[in-house]
């Protein structure tokens, strides 16, 4: 661990020793920023940036803290700090930090959790490196020639799994988080030469428009990809949750005259996998 990282760790330990656990992330962020300021470490808070998937824009996100930001003219290495409320750091936190590092083109980051009894490695403090570009790339990829023009269940499952393995589940917590996954699935279709467009249809009541319903992906043959977040309670099975969601969506299919579609469920819980099912 480098000198600046040691200072960051010391600052985080100081914040935790005074505040303890139980506060929201924003409280620890402000306290840590103040502690860095006292230690004469330059930083930038709450920076908006474009999230990229294989070099393509899929949405915006916001950092917690960037130490040694280039915007401040600092020549030392930038370090991304992501703060979490919780007793431990899980895989979704690491995955989120990796996506941020790729999108920001920063080589190194630290994930800090402030819900435990102390700040310690690796439970509540982990270093994260910018991933190998073969796994997560910030370079815009070219179209893949000779691939499928009409995606089937097998291809859509493969695409969805790849997108989920890239983002993990954390991005579902950011605004309308399912949009990141929908747009990334769109990128995968584009790379394969599969054309699509978004669609918004009107819901009528006695010839009066009373609502609108949208889908991010409609293929050229009229097939719709319905990308949604799914979550289930202990008494429910994943299959029950998915089937109920599909039945609800079929009502909109009927109202909008849609004949065919695929349900793509992105899991909110760690340990679950995406579900792709023909409707």
């Amino acid at each position: 661990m480098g000198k600046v990282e040691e200072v960051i760790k010391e600052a985080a330990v100081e914040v935790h020793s005074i505040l303890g656990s139980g506060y929201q992330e924003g409280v620890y962020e402000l306290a840590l920023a103040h502690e860095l300021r006292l230690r004469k470490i330059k930083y930038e808070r709450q920076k908006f940036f474009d999230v990229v998937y294989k070099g393509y824009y899929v949405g915006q996100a916001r950092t917690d803290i960037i130490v040694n930001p280039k915007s401040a003219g600092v020549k030392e290495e930038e370090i991304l700090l992501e703060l979490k409320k919780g007793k431990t750091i899980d895989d979704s936190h690491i995955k989120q930090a990796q996506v941020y590092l790729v999108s920001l083109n920063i080589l190194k980051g630290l994930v800090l959790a402030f819900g435990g009894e102390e700040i310690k490695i690796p439970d509540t403090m982990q270093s994260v490196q910018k991933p190998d570009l073969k796994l997560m790339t910030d370079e815009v990829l070219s179209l893949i020639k000779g691939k499928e023009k009409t995606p089937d269940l097998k291809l859509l499952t493969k695409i969805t799994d790849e997108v989920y393995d890239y983002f993990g589940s954390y991005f579902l917590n950011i605004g309308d988080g399912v949009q990141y996954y929908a747009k990334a699935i769109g990128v995968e279709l584009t790379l394969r030469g599969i054309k699509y467009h978004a669609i918004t249809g009107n819901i009528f009541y006695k010839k009066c428009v009373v609502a609108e319903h949208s889908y991010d992906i409609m293929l050229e043959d009229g097939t719709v990809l319905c990308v949604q977040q799914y979550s289930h309670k202990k008494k429910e099975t994943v299959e029950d949750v998915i089937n109920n969601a599909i039945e609800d969506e079929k009502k909109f299919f009927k109202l909008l005259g849609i004949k065919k579609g695929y349900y793509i469920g992105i899991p909110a819980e760690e340990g679950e996998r995406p579900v792709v099912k023909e409707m």
Side-chain angles (χ1 to χ4, degrees), residues 122-135:
D123 295 338
T124 56
M125 180 179 183
Q126 288 192 34
S127 296
V128 184
Q129 303 293 323
K130 181 182 175 183
D132 185 334
L133 292 183
K134 293 179 182 178
L135 301 177

Side-chain angles (χ1 to χ4, degrees), residues 86-89 111-113 116 118-126:
K87 295 182 179 180
T88 58
I89 296 168
V111 180
L112 300 162
E118 59 180 327
I119 298 292
K120 60 180 180 180
I121 301 173
D123 295 338
T124 56
M125 180 179 183
Q126 288 192 34

Side-chain angles (χ1 to χ4, degrees), residues 176-216:
D176 188 10
V178 76
Q179 292 298 311
Y180 293 96
Y181 304 85
K183 289 183 181 297
I185 289 170
V187 170
E188 290 289 351
L189 295 175
T190 298
L191 291 173
R192 289 167 170 79
I194 299 169
K195 295 181 180 180
Y196 69 93
H197 59 274
I199 178 177
T200 298
N202 293 324
I203 307 299
F204 290 91
Y205 172 76
K206 293 185 177 180
K207 298 183 179 181
C208 174
V209 177
V210 294
E212 291 183 340
H213 197 69
S214 300
Y215 295 100
D216 290 313

